[in-house]
Amino acid sequence: MNYSRFLTAVSAARRPSAIRILTELQQRSPPSLISLAGGAPNPDTFPFQFATIKVKNGDSIVFDEATMKRALQYSASPGIPELLSWMKGLQKSLHNPPTLAYSPENGQMEMCVTTGSQEGLCKVFEMLVNPGDNVLLDAPTYSGTLAALLPLGCNIINVPSDQHGMIPEALGDILSRWDPADAHAPGSSVPRVLYTIPNGGNPTGASMTAQRKQEVYELARKYDFLIIEDDPYYFLQFQKPWAPTFLSMDVDGRIIRTDSFSKILSSGLRIGFVTGPKPLVDRVVLHIQASTMHTSTFTQLMVSQLLQDWGQDGFLRHVDGVVQFYRSQRNAMLSSADRWLKGLAEWHAPAAGMFLWIRLHGIADTKQLIMEKALEKEVLLVPGGVFNIDSSEACPYVRAAFSLSTPQQIDEAFKRLSALIREAAQP
Ligand SMILES: Cc1ncc(COP(=O)(O)O)c(CNc2cc3ccccc3n(O)c2=O)c1O
């Protein structure tokens, strides 16, 4: 694939940081090398000496003095080698991307660590989206994505979707306004990027079927666009086998996947990953070099040691426990919805994630209801309009998260919401 056609002017202008090249050169050199190059601070001056982090299974992660000095020091922009290597092993086991065996210039699978998948998304958009570009996505969508995309001045084209995710026929209809042959013409307006959340969508809870992913992928091949597979809820799928990912079917090297440890290990540690064709991931790293330089070495080392101790089987056993928790939370929310909201609202049972997308009857726009009346009743949800491309558009939906509240709190919250809807619907 010709990846240069996808790059923004900003991204094409980025060059490797000379300092980072020296840092990585030094890190690859034998200890006998004497470096007067890097402007790194001397870790002997740092006030932190060592750390022991107790893990719930009884194990401990120990940062002795040498490890602590490394943890507190600058590290490589793509991520620390041991974490990247472990994650590449996991991606191979879970997705077995066809691009694993490709040459770098042909899109060999590469990865980098990001400070949460939010940073990954922001850097990927900065790399691919120029002002005026047509970008395809299925709204309502994650508000953090809209926050990153909209200021770039692109034209977001909303692709219709339902509880099974983006509708390929609707995407095909939208694309039919262009001739695929024009895709490579200079200044072509054929969309070059499609973004979607394939599992446990935020806010809709929708999960794409494998069939729909295959059909969307074929359209991406026909019109030669990239797919950003934003999949932080991949590990929160309530049924096995987990759905095949776009990455697992990527014979062309046109998938850029963002993963996150936020929903399964920690959201505060800010660990995410970008997986995709090497020419593009290497470019994302250039954007990282010019902003955060790298994700915290401390948190990368901490997570890396945990994963080394667990191995893939141990990691997946941990994930099973997390899934069990969220499945039971989802079931509690669904039974409370049945108890309090039947006849007042409608919803679909999510197969993954942590959100229930609820359409309230008799209410054209939930914004005022939530921002004023709901607070009086001491119940808080997210008004659906914030997930629309135009947040001022009326939206009868609310997003309810079943991640933090107890089943008892969820039940009381829906009892209060039902009173709200009844009052609001009265003439
Ligand atoms: C589809 C999709 N893609 C990327 C991300 C970012 O996750 P990261 O790996 O942690 O950076 C997210 C995180 N979503 C949310 C985050 C959040 C944080 C504070 C408070 C509220 C939040 N609400 O409501 C959210 O939905 C997401 O849902």
mmCIF file of all heavy atoms in Angstrom, residues 114 116-129 142 144-146 148-149 152 195-197 228-232 256-258 273-274 284:
data_model
loop_
_atom_site.group_PDB
_atom_site.id
_atom_site.type_symbol
_atom_site.label_atom_id
_atom_site.label_comp_id
_atom_site.label_asym_id
_atom_site.label_seq_id
_atom_site.Cartn_x
_atom_site.Cartn_y
_atom_site.Cartn_z
ATOM 1 N N THR A 114 1.087 3.908 24.071
ATOM 2 C CA THR A 114 0.593 5.295 24.154
ATOM 3 C C THR A 114 0.069 5.553 25.566
ATOM 4 O O THR A 114 -0.201 4.605 26.311
ATOM 5 C CB THR A 114 -0.544 5.537 23.142
ATOM 6 O OG1 THR A 114 -1.589 4.581 23.358
ATOM 7 C CG2 THR A 114 -0.030 5.424 21.715
ATOM 8 N N GLY A 116 -2.565 5.884 27.324
ATOM 9 C CA GLY A 116 -3.995 5.636 27.130
ATOM 10 C C GLY A 116 -4.281 5.543 25.642
ATOM 11 O O GLY A 116 -3.520 6.080 24.820
ATOM 12 N N SER A 117 -5.373 4.902 25.282
ATOM 13 C CA SER A 117 -5.687 4.852 23.844
ATOM 14 C C SER A 117 -6.178 6.228 23.372
ATOM 15 O O SER A 117 -6.145 6.524 22.176
ATOM 16 C CB SER A 117 -6.748 3.784 23.566
ATOM 17 O OG SER A 117 -7.913 3.989 24.335
ATOM 18 N N GLN A 118 -6.530 7.065 24.323
ATOM 19 C CA GLN A 118 -6.933 8.424 23.950
ATOM 20 C C GLN A 118 -5.772 9.129 23.259
ATOM 21 O O GLN A 118 -5.953 9.779 22.229
ATOM 22 C CB GLN A 118 -7.363 9.234 25.180
ATOM 23 C CG GLN A 118 -7.890 10.639 24.858
ATOM 24 C CD GLN A 118 -9.232 10.664 24.155
ATOM 25 O OE1 GLN A 118 -10.135 9.925 24.491
ATOM 26 N NE2 GLN A 118 -9.347 11.493 23.120
ATOM 27 N N GLU A 119 -4.549 8.976 23.805
ATOM 28 C CA GLU A 119 -3.397 9.602 23.141
ATOM 29 C C GLU A 119 -3.182 8.966 21.781
ATOM 30 O O GLU A 119 -2.912 9.641 20.788
ATOM 31 C CB GLU A 119 -2.117 9.455 23.971
ATOM 32 C CG GLU A 119 -0.961 10.154 23.268
ATOM 33 C CD GLU A 119 0.430 9.824 23.759
ATOM 34 O OE1 GLU A 119 0.643 8.723 24.323
ATOM 35 O OE2 GLU A 119 1.311 10.670 23.557
ATOM 36 N N GLY A 120 -3.365 7.644 21.715
ATOM 37 C CA GLY A 120 -3.181 6.964 20.433
ATOM 38 C C GLY A 120 -4.133 7.514 19.383
ATOM 39 O O GLY A 120 -3.725 7.833 18.257
ATOM 40 N N LEU A 121 -5.396 7.677 19.772
ATOM 41 C CA LEU A 121 -6.383 8.206 18.821
ATOM 42 C C LEU A 121 -5.995 9.607 18.364
ATOM 43 O O LEU A 121 -6.003 9.922 17.172
ATOM 44 C CB LEU A 121 -7.768 8.246 19.466
ATOM 45 C CG LEU A 121 -8.453 6.900 19.695
ATOM 46 C CD1 LEU A 121 -9.702 7.093 20.541
ATOM 47 C CD2 LEU A 121 -8.789 6.237 18.365
ATOM 48 N N CYS A 122 -5.612 10.426 19.339
ATOM 49 C CA CYS A 122 -5.278 11.817 19.025
ATOM 50 C C CYS A 122 -4.096 11.882 18.042
ATOM 51 O O CYS A 122 -4.122 12.630 17.060
ATOM 52 C CB CYS A 122 -4.929 12.511 20.339
ATOM 53 S SG CYS A 122 -4.882 14.280 20.200
ATOM 54 N N LYS A 123 -3.078 11.045 18.274
ATOM 55 C CA LYS A 123 -1.910 11.042 17.387
ATOM 56 C C LYS A 123 -2.261 10.464 16.006
ATOM 57 O O LYS A 123 -1.793 10.931 14.973
ATOM 58 C CB LYS A 123 -0.784 10.211 18.008
ATOM 59 C CG LYS A 123 -0.224 10.731 19.323
ATOM 60 C CD LYS A 123 0.444 12.078 19.159
ATOM 61 C CE LYS A 123 1.217 12.507 20.402
ATOM 62 N NZ LYS A 123 0.406 12.706 21.604
ATOM 63 N N VAL A 124 -3.122 9.459 15.977
ATOM 64 C CA VAL A 124 -3.514 8.860 14.694
ATOM 65 C C VAL A 124 -4.325 9.871 13.877
ATOM 66 O O VAL A 124 -4.086 10.060 12.678
ATOM 67 C CB VAL A 124 -4.316 7.559 14.919
ATOM 68 C CG1 VAL A 124 -5.009 7.097 13.649
ATOM 69 C CG2 VAL A 124 -3.411 6.456 15.465
ATOM 70 N N PHE A 125 -5.222 10.586 14.547
ATOM 71 C CA PHE A 125 -6.002 11.606 13.820
ATOM 72 C C PHE A 125 -5.072 12.709 13.302
ATOM 73 O O PHE A 125 -5.187 13.175 12.175
ATOM 74 C CB PHE A 125 -7.072 12.200 14.727
ATOM 75 C CG PHE A 125 -8.156 11.242 15.138
ATOM 76 C CD1 PHE A 125 -8.727 11.323 16.407
ATOM 77 C CD2 PHE A 125 -8.607 10.260 14.279
ATOM 78 C CE1 PHE A 125 -9.742 10.453 16.804
ATOM 79 C CE2 PHE A 125 -9.619 9.378 14.657
ATOM 80 C CZ PHE A 125 -10.172 9.470 15.914
ATOM 81 N N GLU A 126 -4.113 13.107 14.141
ATOM 82 C CA GLU A 126 -3.165 14.167 13.741
ATOM 83 C C GLU A 126 -2.353 13.714 12.527
ATOM 84 O O GLU A 126 -1.985 14.519 11.670
ATOM 85 C CB GLU A 126 -2.228 14.441 14.926
ATOM 86 C CG GLU A 126 -1.315 15.639 14.793
ATOM 87 C CD GLU A 126 -0.397 15.785 16.027
ATOM 88 O OE1 GLU A 126 -0.888 16.198 17.079
ATOM 89 O OE2 GLU A 126 0.802 15.439 15.899
ATOM 90 N N MET A 127 -2.112 12.415 12.461
ATOM 91 C CA MET A 127 -1.324 11.842 11.356
ATOM 92 C C MET A 127 -2.136 11.750 10.069
ATOM 93 O O MET A 127 -1.585 11.878 8.968
ATOM 94 C CB MET A 127 -0.838 10.437 11.753
ATOM 95 C CG MET A 127 -0.196 9.655 10.640
ATOM 96 S SD MET A 127 0.454 8.066 11.171
ATOM 97 C CE MET A 127 -1.044 7.168 11.526
ATOM 98 N N LEU A 128 -3.457 11.518 10.180
ATOM 99 C CA LEU A 128 -4.248 11.159 8.992
ATOM 100 C C LEU A 128 -5.260 12.208 8.535
ATOM 101 O O LEU A 128 -5.686 12.157 7.377
ATOM 102 C CB LEU A 128 -5.017 9.860 9.274
ATOM 103 C CG LEU A 128 -4.202 8.616 9.602
ATOM 104 C CD1 LEU A 128 -5.125 7.457 9.947
ATOM 105 C CD2 LEU A 128 -3.265 8.252 8.459
ATOM 106 N N VAL A 129 -5.667 13.099 9.401
ATOM 107 C CA VAL A 129 -6.823 13.936 9.089
ATOM 108 C C VAL A 129 -6.449 15.404 8.853
ATOM 109 O O VAL A 129 -5.986 16.090 9.759
ATOM 110 C CB VAL A 129 -7.882 13.846 10.216
ATOM 111 C CG1 VAL A 129 -9.090 14.722 9.880
ATOM 112 C CG2 VAL A 129 -8.327 12.395 10.431
ATOM 113 N N TYR A 142 -17.962 7.922 20.729
ATOM 114 C CA TYR A 142 -17.243 8.350 21.928
ATOM 115 C C TYR A 142 -16.943 9.842 21.867
ATOM 116 O O TYR A 142 -16.345 10.319 20.905
ATOM 117 C CB TYR A 142 -15.965 7.520 22.033
ATOM 118 C CG TYR A 142 -14.947 7.982 23.043
ATOM 119 C CD1 TYR A 142 -15.296 8.326 24.340
ATOM 120 C CD2 TYR A 142 -13.601 8.062 22.682
ATOM 121 C CE1 TYR A 142 -14.352 8.741 25.254
ATOM 122 C CE2 TYR A 142 -12.647 8.474 23.599
ATOM 123 C CZ TYR A 142 -13.026 8.804 24.888
ATOM 124 O OH TYR A 142 -12.086 9.206 25.802
ATOM 125 N N GLY A 144 -14.806 11.585 23.370
ATOM 126 C CA GLY A 144 -13.369 11.883 23.306
ATOM 127 C C GLY A 144 -12.854 11.854 21.874
ATOM 128 O O GLY A 144 -11.931 12.575 21.506
ATOM 129 N N THR A 145 -13.465 11.014 21.046
ATOM 130 C CA THR A 145 -13.076 10.969 19.632
ATOM 131 C C THR A 145 -13.544 12.235 18.920
ATOM 132 O O THR A 145 -12.789 12.862 18.176
ATOM 133 C CB THR A 145 -13.692 9.721 18.971
ATOM 134 O OG1 THR A 145 -13.042 8.566 19.498
ATOM 135 C CG2 THR A 145 -13.584 9.748 17.465
ATOM 136 N N LEU A 146 -14.758 12.633 19.211
ATOM 137 C CA LEU A 146 -15.284 13.873 18.595
ATOM 138 C C LEU A 146 -14.450 15.068 19.039
ATOM 139 O O LEU A 146 -14.115 15.950 18.247
ATOM 140 C CB LEU A 146 -16.754 14.064 18.961
ATOM 141 C CG LEU A 146 -17.702 12.991 18.400
ATOM 142 C CD1 LEU A 146 -19.103 13.128 19.001
ATOM 143 C CD2 LEU A 146 -17.769 13.064 16.878
ATOM 144 N N ALA A 148 -11.348 15.090 19.725
ATOM 145 C CA ALA A 148 -10.059 15.071 19.027
ATOM 146 C C ALA A 148 -10.234 15.375 17.546
ATOM 147 O O ALA A 148 -9.396 16.039 16.924
ATOM 148 C CB ALA A 148 -9.399 13.702 19.205
ATOM 149 N N LEU A 149 -11.344 14.929 16.974
ATOM 150 C CA LEU A 149 -11.538 15.042 15.517
ATOM 151 C C LEU A 149 -12.070 16.402 15.076
ATOM 152 O O LEU A 149 -11.540 17.020 14.150
ATOM 153 C CB LEU A 149 -12.534 13.966 15.054
ATOM 154 C CG LEU A 149 -12.009 12.691 14.411
ATOM 155 C CD1 LEU A 149 -13.177 11.839 13.953
ATOM 156 C CD2 LEU A 149 -11.086 12.982 13.242
ATOM 157 N N LEU A 152 -10.076 19.446 14.080
ATOM 158 C CA LEU A 152 -9.173 19.295 12.926
ATOM 159 C C LEU A 152 -9.836 19.827 11.649
ATOM 160 O O LEU A 152 -9.213 19.846 10.585
ATOM 161 C CB LEU A 152 -8.774 17.828 12.748
ATOM 162 C CG LEU A 152 -8.013 17.196 13.934
ATOM 163 C CD1 LEU A 152 -7.706 15.713 13.651
ATOM 164 C CD2 LEU A 152 -6.732 17.953 14.242
ATOM 165 N N TYR A 195 -13.570 5.437 11.115
ATOM 166 C CA TYR A 195 -13.360 5.157 12.541
ATOM 167 C C TYR A 195 -14.574 4.416 13.080
ATOM 168 O O TYR A 195 -15.727 4.794 12.793
ATOM 169 C CB TYR A 195 -13.192 6.475 13.311
ATOM 170 C CG TYR A 195 -13.312 6.342 14.822
ATOM 171 C CD1 TYR A 195 -12.207 6.107 15.617
ATOM 172 C CD2 TYR A 195 -14.563 6.422 15.450
ATOM 173 C CE1 TYR A 195 -12.321 5.977 16.999
ATOM 174 C CE2 TYR A 195 -14.691 6.282 16.836
ATOM 175 C CZ TYR A 195 -13.560 6.053 17.596
ATOM 176 O OH TYR A 195 -13.691 5.913 18.960
ATOM 177 N N THR A 196 -14.336 3.370 13.870
ATOM 178 C CA THR A 196 -15.471 2.706 14.527
ATOM 179 C C THR A 196 -15.034 2.033 15.823
ATOM 180 O O THR A 196 -13.835 1.769 16.017
ATOM 181 C CB THR A 196 -16.143 1.693 13.587
ATOM 182 O OG1 THR A 196 -17.428 1.316 14.123
ATOM 183 C CG2 THR A 196 -15.289 0.446 13.399
ATOM 184 N N ILE A 197 -15.980 1.816 16.703
ATOM 185 C CA ILE A 197 -15.754 1.123 17.967
ATOM 186 C C ILE A 197 -16.462 -0.217 17.830
ATOM 187 O O ILE A 197 -17.693 -0.283 17.961
ATOM 188 C CB ILE A 197 -16.349 1.919 19.148
ATOM 189 C CG1 ILE A 197 -15.835 3.359 19.138
ATOM 190 C CG2 ILE A 197 -16.029 1.242 20.485
ATOM 191 C CD1 ILE A 197 -16.683 4.311 19.979
ATOM 192 N N ILE A 228 -9.765 2.766 11.429
ATOM 193 C CA ILE A 228 -9.278 2.907 12.807
ATOM 194 C C ILE A 228 -10.211 2.088 13.689
ATOM 195 O O ILE A 228 -11.398 2.402 13.847
ATOM 196 C CB ILE A 228 -9.280 4.384 13.254
ATOM 197 C CG1 ILE A 228 -8.361 5.203 12.349
ATOM 198 C CG2 ILE A 228 -8.816 4.499 14.719
ATOM 199 C CD1 ILE A 228 -8.456 6.707 12.576
ATOM 200 N N GLU A 229 -9.679 0.992 14.216
ATOM 201 C CA GLU A 229 -10.449 0.053 15.051
ATOM 202 C C GLU A 229 -10.179 0.397 16.509
ATOM 203 O O GLU A 229 -9.202 -0.063 17.101
ATOM 204 C CB GLU A 229 -10.000 -1.373 14.726
ATOM 205 C CG GLU A 229 -10.688 -2.451 15.548
ATOM 206 C CD GLU A 229 -10.253 -3.863 15.143
ATOM 207 O OE1 GLU A 229 -9.063 -4.105 14.858
ATOM 208 O OE2 GLU A 229 -11.134 -4.743 15.117
ATOM 209 N N ASP A 230 -11.047 1.223 17.065
ATOM 210 C CA ASP A 230 -10.869 1.679 18.448
ATOM 211 C C ASP A 230 -11.578 0.685 19.357
ATOM 212 O O ASP A 230 -12.807 0.647 19.420
ATOM 213 C CB ASP A 230 -11.460 3.088 18.588
ATOM 214 C CG ASP A 230 -11.293 3.631 19.992
ATOM 215 O OD1 ASP A 230 -10.422 3.119 20.729
ATOM 216 O OD2 ASP A 230 -12.053 4.545 20.364
ATOM 217 N N ASP A 231 -10.808 -0.146 20.109
ATOM 218 C CA ASP A 231 -11.407 -1.354 20.701
ATOM 219 C C ASP A 231 -11.101 -1.514 22.198
ATOM 220 O O ASP A 231 -10.657 -2.584 22.628
ATOM 221 C CB ASP A 231 -10.901 -2.571 19.920
ATOM 222 C CG ASP A 231 -11.920 -3.721 19.920
ATOM 223 O OD1 ASP A 231 -12.982 -3.567 20.562
ATOM 224 O OD2 ASP A 231 -11.624 -4.774 19.305
ATOM 225 N N PRO A 232 -11.360 -0.472 23.015
ATOM 226 C CA PRO A 232 -11.018 -0.565 24.447
ATOM 227 C C PRO A 232 -11.894 -1.546 25.214
ATOM 228 O O PRO A 232 -11.594 -1.937 26.322
ATOM 229 C CB PRO A 232 -11.246 0.855 24.971
ATOM 230 C CG PRO A 232 -12.248 1.438 24.044
ATOM 231 C CD PRO A 232 -11.978 0.824 22.712
ATOM 232 N N ILE A 256 -5.653 0.308 11.622
ATOM 233 C CA ILE A 256 -4.918 0.895 12.748
ATOM 234 C C ILE A 256 -5.784 0.636 13.972
ATOM 235 O O ILE A 256 -6.918 1.116 14.059
ATOM 236 C CB ILE A 256 -4.714 2.413 12.563
ATOM 237 C CG1 ILE A 256 -3.903 2.681 11.303
ATOM 238 C CG2 ILE A 256 -3.997 2.999 13.784
ATOM 239 C CD1 ILE A 256 -3.782 4.152 10.978
ATOM 240 N N ARG A 257 -5.258 -0.168 14.896
ATOM 241 C CA ARG A 257 -6.047 -0.620 16.041
ATOM 242 C C ARG A 257 -5.547 0.067 17.295
ATOM 243 O O ARG A 257 -4.333 0.150 17.544
ATOM 244 C CB ARG A 257 -5.903 -2.140 16.199
ATOM 245 C CG ARG A 257 -6.636 -2.706 17.381
ATOM 246 C CD ARG A 257 -6.449 -4.228 17.490
ATOM 247 N NE ARG A 257 -6.990 -4.712 18.725
ATOM 248 C CZ ARG A 257 -8.282 -4.961 18.932
ATOM 249 N NH1 ARG A 257 -9.149 -4.782 17.937
ATOM 250 N NH2 ARG A 257 -8.707 -5.385 20.099
ATOM 251 N N THR A 258 -6.473 0.588 18.094
ATOM 252 C CA THR A 258 -6.082 1.126 19.407
ATOM 253 C C THR A 258 -6.657 0.220 20.483
ATOM 254 O O THR A 258 -7.848 -0.096 20.483
ATOM 255 C CB THR A 258 -6.619 2.569 19.621
ATOM 256 O OG1 THR A 258 -8.010 2.591 19.389
ATOM 257 C CG2 THR A 258 -5.930 3.550 18.685
ATOM 258 N N PHE A 273 -2.214 1.126 23.457
ATOM 259 C CA PHE A 273 -1.343 0.650 22.385
ATOM 260 C C PHE A 273 -1.946 1.005 21.029
ATOM 261 O O PHE A 273 -3.162 0.966 20.865
ATOM 262 C CB PHE A 273 -1.199 -0.884 22.461
ATOM 263 C CG PHE A 273 -0.663 -1.375 23.770
ATOM 264 C CD1 PHE A 273 -1.543 -1.714 24.796
ATOM 265 C CD2 PHE A 273 0.699 -1.458 24.002
ATOM 266 C CE1 PHE A 273 -1.068 -2.142 26.029
ATOM 267 C CE2 PHE A 273 1.184 -1.887 25.224
ATOM 268 C CZ PHE A 273 0.300 -2.228 26.239
ATOM 269 N N VAL A 274 -1.064 1.330 20.104
ATOM 270 C CA VAL A 274 -1.468 1.435 18.703
ATOM 271 C C VAL A 274 -0.822 0.266 17.966
ATOM 272 O O VAL A 274 0.379 0.007 18.112
ATOM 273 C CB VAL A 274 -1.020 2.766 18.074
ATOM 274 C CG1 VAL A 274 -1.269 2.777 16.567
ATOM 275 C CG2 VAL A 274 -1.755 3.948 18.729
ATOM 276 N N VAL A 284 3.409 7.555 13.965
ATOM 277 C CA VAL A 284 2.759 7.911 15.236
ATOM 278 C C VAL A 284 3.831 8.181 16.295
ATOM 279 O O VAL A 284 3.740 9.123 17.078
ATOM 280 C CB VAL A 284 1.810 6.785 15.709
ATOM 281 C CG1 VAL A 284 1.344 7.006 17.153
ATOM 282 C CG2 VAL A 284 0.589 6.672 14.788
#
